[in-house]
Coordinates of all heavy atoms in Angstrom, one line a residue:
Chain B
R217 N -28.7 77.1 -4.0 CA -28.3 76.6 -2.7 C -29.0 75.3 -2.4 O -28.3 74.4 -1.9 CB -28.8 77.6 -1.7 CG -28.4 77.4 -0.4 CD -28.8 78.5 0.8 NE -28.5 78.1 2.0 CZ -27.2 78.2 2.5 NH1 -26.2 78.6 1.7 NH2 -27.0 77.8 3.8
R226 N -26.2 64.0 -1.3 CA -26.1 62.7 -2.1 C -24.6 62.2 -2.0 O -24.4 60.9 -2.0 CB -26.4 63.2 -3.5 CG -26.6 62.0 -4.5 CD -27.2 62.3 -5.8 NE -26.7 63.6 -6.3 CZ -27.3 64.7 -6.5 NH1 -28.7 64.8 -6.3 NH2 -26.8 65.8 -7.0
L250 N -19.3 55.6 14.0 CA -19.9 57.0 13.8 C -19.3 58.1 14.5 O -19.2 59.2 14.0 CB -21.4 56.7 14.2 CG -22.2 58.0 14.3 CD1 -22.2 58.8 13.1 CD2 -23.7 57.7 14.6
C265 N -11.6 72.7 2.1 CA -11.9 74.2 1.7 C -10.5 75.0 1.6 O -10.7 76.0 1.0 CB -12.8 74.9 2.9 SG -14.5 74.2 2.7
L284 N -0.7 79.4 -1.6 CA -0.4 80.7 -2.1 C -1.3 81.8 -1.7 O -2.3 81.5 -1.0 CB -0.5 80.5 -3.7 CG 0.5 79.4 -4.3 CD1 0.4 79.4 -5.8 CD2 2.0 79.8 -3.9
S286 N -3.8 83.4 -2.8 CA -5.3 83.2 -3.1 C -5.9 82.1 -2.0 O -6.9 82.3 -1.5 CB -5.5 82.7 -4.5 OG -4.9 81.6 -4.8
T303 N 7.8 79.1 11.9 CA 9.0 78.4 12.1 C 10.0 79.0 11.0 O 9.5 79.4 10.0 CB 9.0 76.9 12.1 OG1 10.3 76.4 12.3 CG2 8.4 76.5 10.7
T322 N -0.6 79.2 17.3 CA -1.5 80.3 17.7 C -2.7 80.1 16.9 O -2.6 79.8 15.8 CB -0.8 81.5 17.7 OG1 -0.4 81.7 16.3 CG2 0.3 81.7 18.7
V336 N 2.9 76.8 9.3 CA 2.1 75.7 8.9 C 0.8 75.8 9.5 O 0.7 76.1 10.8 CB 2.9 74.4 9.4 CG1 2.3 73.2 9.0 CG2 4.4 74.6 9.0
W358 N 1.2 74.8 4.0 CA 2.2 75.8 4.6 C 2.4 77.0 3.7 O 2.0 77.0 2.5 CB 3.5 75.1 4.8 CG 4.2 74.5 3.4 CD1 3.8 73.4 2.7 CD2 5.1 75.2 2.6 NE1 4.5 73.3 1.6 CE2 5.3 74.4 1.5 CE3 5.8 76.4 2.7 CZ2 6.1 74.8 0.4 CZ3 6.6 76.8 1.6 CH2 6.7 76.0 0.5

Side-chain angles (χ1 to χ4, degrees):
Chain B
R217 187 178 176 75
R226 190 166 45 239
L250 167 56
C265 289
L284 297 182
S286 58
T303 180
T322 53
V336 185
W358 63 274

